[in-house]
Amino acid sequence: MKRVLTLTVALAFVFACAVPAFAYDMERPVKKITEGTVDVIKSPLHLVEKPIDGLKNHDYPVIGFMKGLLKGPFHTLKKAGGGVVDIATFPIK
């Protein structure tokens, strides 16, 4: 039993020495997963933003609103899809 405990402590020490080397380059994956999560959570906002932007920025407000209604779901899917890809591939540089 004493040998197993000694071996476990020795292996834990070896692995603990290697952890800072792997944690050095963790800034980019952490940023990628957080931005991906935010994109997925905020993506439904495009369903509201696009019709309002079309309403404000078009010469004919009704046509701009209808265009925004058509574009909104596609922008939502694009933003959510990009976020899902970022979440799925965060360990990859």
Side-chain angles (χ1 to χ4, degrees):
M1 186 70 181
K2 190 174 181 180
R3 289 183 197 169
V4 172
L5 182 62
T6 306
L7 181 63
T8 304
V9 169
L11 285 175
F13 178 75
V14 169
F15 288 133
C17 291
V19 167
F22 290 116
Y24 175 72
D25 194 29
M26 287 300 290
E27 180 180 332
R28 180 158 185 207
V30 170
K31 183 179 177 185
K32 195 172 178 183
I33 195 168
T34 54
E35 287 179 359
T37 305
V38 169
D39 285 346
V40 169
I41 292 171
K42 286 188 170 183
S43 64
L45 293 176
H46 286 289
L47 291 173
V48 176
E49 290 175 357
K50 290 299 174 184
I52 292 173
D53 289 344
L55 189 67
K56 290 179 181 176
N57 299 330
H58 204 274
D59 293 336
Y60 300 105
V62 175
I63 294 174
F65 182 73
M66 295 304 285
K67 260 176 100 172
L69 283 176
L70 291 173
K71 286 184 178 181
F74 294 108
H75 284 277
T76 300
L77 288 175
K78 179 182 175 188
K79 193 78 164 175
V84 169
V85 167
D86 283 346
I87 291 170
T89 60
F90 80 94
I92 303 169
K93 289 187 180 185

